[in-house]
Amino acid sequence: MDAHRALPESEAAADIGARLKSQLEHFKDHSGAFPAWRELAGAPPSEVLAAWSSLPVMTKADLRERFPVGAILPRCPGGVPNGTGGSTGEPTRFVHDPQMLLSCTSTMYYAWRSMGWRPGMPVRALWGAQRDIGMGLGWKGVLKQGIWDLLGGVRVNDGFALDPERGRAFLAQIAACPRPCAVYGYTSLLAAVARQALEEGIRIPAGRVATAWNGGETLFPEQSERFREAFGVPIQNYYGGREVGGMAFQRQGEVDLQVLRPFIFLEVVDAEGRACPPGEPGRLLVTSTVNRGSPFLRYEIGDLASHPAGASGPSGIRRLEGIQGRVSSTLRLKGRSVSSIYWNHLFKDYPEVRAFQVRGRGDSLRILLEAPGLPEAALGRIRATIAGFLGELPVDIGLVDAIPLSATGKLIHVIQEEG
């Protein structure tokens, strides 16, 4: 990644063009391939890059219908099926190949180091875990977490439901670190523990937190500054998605986000699919130049972004200046703040669920599901999981043909109602 970053623009364009061409050559013979993929696959790399913006935009529906997991796995030795948490309320399943799994891990650690983490530095995370949604970790997850806890390296704290007691426990864990540590978590949860520390007068020793970054949600300046006030460092922006792993990150001391090239190729386009000029927010399209499981070629991730002047050229976009999307709604239920990410992870394990919306009113829930063919037994498991997490409370689950959209045509997947 450092080598690619140092390339002159012409050489970087040649590198990106060759990677895009290789992806088209791999996927062109798949039964779900777009005809335009087949046509462009035979062109030289420079022509592939120049014509890339003319290819169709892939959607979550394309992954479900053109490239279902069952059709991908036989073509992908060592492929691992997975699913998005559905940050837009539309869970989606896909396949990663072994090289993509390696890429996701290596880009993550590259970004960590660039944001101020160093090998051996303790990491304290406020994140959701499988056990926190009632699904269990499995023996591999239990073993991995046990090793992390024993070594004191990476400790992941359940954070889907954050109450004052859990917040204090997390703050105490940071204060007890024997040396400077790194902190990461869902944006809204990091902002919440920072606010709790300030309101309750809980002081963290100066220098105890060496660096911090977010994940899963949009980061707003006021959240970063509140964290700086409580811990001495700001929250840095780490932008990724379960489908393609890390996409961009904010280097320590920098404002813009560096795109994780050459493994990720990003575009920002308007409603008609035209490239947006610098500074103008548009739909973010992501291409993985690595994955040979499910194709992510001009895939609409569901967020809006913009890039600054001077951050793009013949090789594409190198930096982003902002991400607008994934704003988490938090429900207040039974005296706890329940992150919207909880529902994302709950429903991702039910492939029949195409879209969902959760409405909280007082201590009751109304859940709408677009889920053709969802078995009755699955509804029972969903109810039991929610009960195990939140205790007994009224839960009304409605199966609908289509969930009503907002006035701007968006699916709002978590809504706090008055009453």
Side-chain angles (χ1 to χ4, degrees):
M1 284 181 276
D2 282 338
H4 178 86
R5 189 178 185 220
L7 289 176
E9 185 65 15
S10 60
E11 293 181 29
D15 183 22
I16 295 291
R19 292 170 185 271
L20 297 179
K21 175 180 170 64
S22 179
Q23 289 296 79
L24 288 181
E25 289 175 337
H26 177 79
F27 288 111
K28 65 182 175 62
D29 294 326
H30 191 284
S31 60
F34 292 96
W37 291 2
R38 302 188 184 101
E39 295 171 7
L40 191 57
S46 59
E47 293 182 18
V48 170
L49 180 56
W52 192 254
S53 61
S54 68
L55 295 178
V57 172
M58 279 191 65
T59 65
K60 297 180 188 296
D62 289 321
L63 280 184
R64 290 193 300 266
E65 298 162 12
R66 284 179 172 269
F67 307 101
V69 167
I72 293 292
L73 282 173
R75 294 169 43 94
C76 183
V80 176
N82 205 328
T84 69
S87 61
T88 59
E90 300 172 287
T92 306
R93 294 185 63 76
F94 53 86
V95 177
H96 281 167
D97 74 333
Q99 193 65 24
M100 182 63 170
L101 297 173
L102 178 60
S103 172
C104 287
T105 301
S106 59
T107 52
M108 179 184 75
Y109 280 105
Y110 176 86
W112 281 24
R113 291 202 63 161
S114 301
M115 291 187 292
W117 172 84
R118 295 293 179 266
M121 181 182 289
V123 178
R124 300 295 178 256
L126 194 55
W127 205 252
Q130 284 294 91
R131 62 170 172 262
D132 209 22
I133 59 172
M135 302 299 289
L137 282 173
W139 72 268
K140 290 183 179 179
V142 170
L143 177 61
K144 183 177 181 180
Q145 184 66 57
I147 293 172
W148 280 351
D149 287 347
L150 181 64
L151 296 177
V154 178
R155 183 166 297 174
V156 180
N157 298 266
D158 297 342
F160 283 134
L162 185 67
D163 55 23
E165 183 178 349
R166 283 191 178 187
R168 292 185 197 104
F170 183 67
L171 291 167
Q173 190 181 111
I174 293 174
C177 269
R179 56 189 185 277
C181 68
V183 173
Y184 77 84
Y186 293 124
T187 315
S188 58
L189 300 182
L190 293 183
V193 294
R195 181 173 57 250
Q196 182 176 357
L198 294 171
E199 291 177 350
E200 297 183 6
I202 300 174
R203 298 186 62 82
I204 302 299
R208 185 57 46 85
V209 178
T211 182
W213 59 87
N214 72 326
E217 302 167 342
T218 298
L219 174 65
F220 295 102
E222 58 270 23
Q223 294 171 316
S224 185
E225 286 308 307
R226 180 181 297 132
F227 195 89
R228 185 202 296 271
E229 187 178 351
F231 298 98
V233 298
I235 302 174
Q236 295 161 241
N237 224 334
Y238 180 55
Y239 176 61
R242 189 176 286 257
E243 299 102 310
V244 295
M247 288 181 272
F249 68 95
Q250 190 177 20
R251 282 183 178 273
Q252 199 165 35
E254 296 185 2
V255 176
D256 296 336
L257 283 74
Q258 178 186 329
V259 178
L260 281 161
R261 303 192 339 162
F263 306 129
I264 292 293
F265 181 74
L266 296 182
E267 302 168 76
V268 179
V269 302
D270 62 18
E272 284 72 42
R274 296 185 298 263
C276 289
E280 180 178 309
R283 301 150 57 203
L284 191 62
L285 308 184
V286 57
T287 294
S288 168
T289 66
V290 178
N291 195 34
R292 297 293 176 88
S294 299
F296 295 105
L297 309 180
R298 306 201 78 218
Y299 173 66
E300 185 161 10
I301 197 77
D303 293 328
L304 299 178
S306 59
H307 63 287
S312 62
S315 71
I317 295 174
R318 291 179 176 269
R319 301 191 313 278
L320 298 175
E321 65 178 354
I323 306 291
Q324 296 89 39
R326 303 186 188 188
V327 179
S328 177
S329 299
T330 300
L331 294 180
R332 290 289 300 172
L333 295 168
K334 298 181 74 66
R336 289 190 288 176
S337 298
V338 180
S339 170
S340 71
I341 307 295
Y342 170 78
W343 311 104
N344 301 338
H345 282 271
L346 173 62
F347 292 123
K348 80 177 191 303
D349 291 310
Y350 296 89
E352 299 87 357
V353 176
R354 294 184 177 178
F356 67 88
Q357 185 178 81
V358 178
R359 294 174 173 266
R361 180 189 291 269
D363 282 340
S364 67
L365 285 174
R366 167 70 171 163
I367 300 175
L368 301 180
L369 299 178
E370 288 182 26
L374 184 70
E376 186 66 32
L379 285 174
R381 290 196 300 273
I382 291 171
R383 292 181 186 278
T385 301
I386 295 173
F389 178 59
L390 292 173
E392 294 298 331
L393 81 166
V395 178
D396 177 23
I397 300 178
L399 300 178
V400 298
D401 293 330
I403 296 173
L405 303 179
S406 70
T408 59
K410 302 293 184 182
L411 171 59
I412 302 175
H413 65 290
V414 175
I415 298 174
Q416 180 80 62
E417 297 180 331
E418 298 298 324

